[in-house]
Amino acid sequence: MKVAVYPGSFDPITKGHLDIIERSSRIFDEVIVSVLINVDKNNLFTTEERVELIKKVVKPYKNVKVESFNGLLVNYMKEKQSNVIIKGLRALSDFEYEFQMALMNNKLDPSIETVFMMTNSQYSFISSSSIKQVAKFGGCLKDLVPDEIIKDILNKFRGD
Ligand code: PNS
């Protein structure tokens, strides 16, 4: 069984992320979407909330699981018996950072491959950080994040 891991911050999950999940679920037997537990970062949602938001939107994909991980991704990959990391690429500006991470992960564990998926052009401008800005100042989130989680994001800014 070919298991792939799609790691990230997902603060929050966007339509661009969901597109990558949907497409990879058609290629691999199982896809584990895994949220990095990052205590230093100024996240809007807690790890548990981010996991719950992702779970809400991946329900239609029966071979997709949602988890969180701590520490080095390569160690988590070993634990999950997976050697494929999935990453999405939106623009050239993503490349340098992603290239460095892919080489570092491969150096730490040469059995690991990073598979890059080009974003769907309709989502290429979407990032979690821009979504937070739009939401903070009352902009429309339709087509940026999955419909099922728009309310959760707006509530977060209202302090509910
Ligand atoms: O969505 P992001 O923030 O681009 O995701 C980055 C992520 C979580 C994939 C990356 O920060 C990560 O893998 N962190 C775990 C620590 C690690 O393994 N570092 C070594 C690779 S440089």
Side-chain angles (χ1 to χ4, degrees):
M1 188 159 102
K2 202 74 200 159
V3 180
V5 171
Y6 181 32
S9 307
F10 305 106
D11 186 44
I13 185 168
T14 69
K15 279 242 190 187
H17 293 134
L18 188 58
D19 176 62
I20 301 285
I21 293 169
E22 198 246 309
R23 286 157 60 200
S24 29
S25 77
R26 284 192 254 123
I27 299 173
F28 297 97
D29 298 310
E30 183 174 276
V31 175
I32 307 174
V33 182
S34 203
V35 178
L36 175 68
I37 303 170
N38 189 346
V39 280
D40 306 331
K41 221 170 145 183
N42 239 339
N43 290 309
L44 175 64
F45 292 96
T46 66
T47 308
E48 294 71 27
E49 286 169 336
R50 285 179 276 153
V51 165
E52 286 313 309
L53 292 180
I54 303 170
K55 279 187 177 164
K56 236 187 202 185
V57 301
V58 301
K59 270 197 193 128
Y61 313 112
K62 299 296 169 222
N63 61 341
V64 174
K65 283 204 321 207
V66 189
E67 297 187 350
S68 56
F69 77 102
N70 217 338
L72 282 181
L73 178 59
V74 291
N75 294 342
Y76 174 74
M77 301 290 295
K78 195 162 264 165
E79 198 186 298
K80 295 288 135 188
Q81 299 187 329
S82 168
N83 61 357
V84 180
I85 298 169
I86 299 168
K87 294 303 305 259
L89 275 185
R90 285 165 304 190
L92 203 56
S93 50
D94 283 342
F95 181 79
E96 202 171 327
Y97 173 63
E98 293 297 345
F99 183 56
Q100 193 188 18
M101 272 204 294
L103 293 183
M104 179 59 85
N105 285 326
N106 186 262
K107 167 75 182 145
L108 293 172
D109 183 342
S111 72
I112 289 184
E113 288 293 342
T114 303
V115 172
F116 289 102
M117 252 183 213
M118 299 311 291
T119 179
N120 186 317
S121 59
Q122 74 189 104
Y123 305 130
S124 64
F125 63 96
I126 302 177
S127 67
S128 296
S129 47
S130 64
I131 278 164
K132 281 180 268 192
Q133 284 187 24
V134 172
K136 185 174 176 185
F137 297 109
C140 177
L141 293 177
K142 181 136 185 60
D143 299 330
L144 302 178
V145 298
D147 290 345
E148 307 94 293
I149 67 165
I150 290 181
K151 245 199 182 132
D152 298 287
I153 299 172
L154 296 179
N155 286 344
K156 193 74 179 178
F157 281 99
R158 280 207 298 261
D160 291 6

